[in-house]
Amino acid sequence: MIFVEEELEQYQRQAQRLLLQLGLHAGWRQGLYLLTALRLIHEKPERLQLVTKWLYPDVAAACHTTYAAVERGIRVACDNIWYRGNYDLLIRITYFDRDRHPSPSLMLAYLYQYLLME
């Protein structure tokens, strides 16, 4: 059990570092939602299959807020990263161009996969 907890803590630090590199601070509510979503995806990757029906309600419960606040917060976080963040790093992660950005659920999948490769 100690190994699993240490691995989860290490993943959490990597995710937080990645969000900071992308220009999103985990101290902001949207950053907290995104960070929590990445942690929950890491615990159970199947959550990526039903983001709006499974992941967002779990994030809302973990953050003591509503589903709607999480959905909007993650959308705003992804838009902020895309339009104001570290674009060079983002392109390496998502392979999208400036004119066509991924949906929040696809962005979560790309961020999760990138963290696994790190």
Side-chain angles (χ1 to χ4, degrees), residues 29-30 32-41 44-79 101-109 111:
R29 191 174 356 182
Q30 296 88 358
L32 175 64
Y33 298 159
L34 199 54
L35 189 62
T36 303
L38 288 170
R39 178 180 52 81
L40 291 172
I41 292 167
K44 198 175 270 189
E46 302 84 39
R47 284 183 168 113
L48 279 172
Q49 294 173 0
L50 294 169
V51 170
T52 57
K53 297 204 185 292
W54 191 1
L55 179 64
Y56 289 172
D58 289 351
V59 172
C63 295
H64 308 290
T65 189
T66 65
Y67 165 91
V70 169
E71 184 177 25
R72 183 174 189 281
I74 289 178
R75 188 172 7 94
V76 167
C78 290
D79 284 348
H101 71 85
S103 66
S105 59
L106 192 54
M107 178 79 82
L108 283 166
L111 292 174

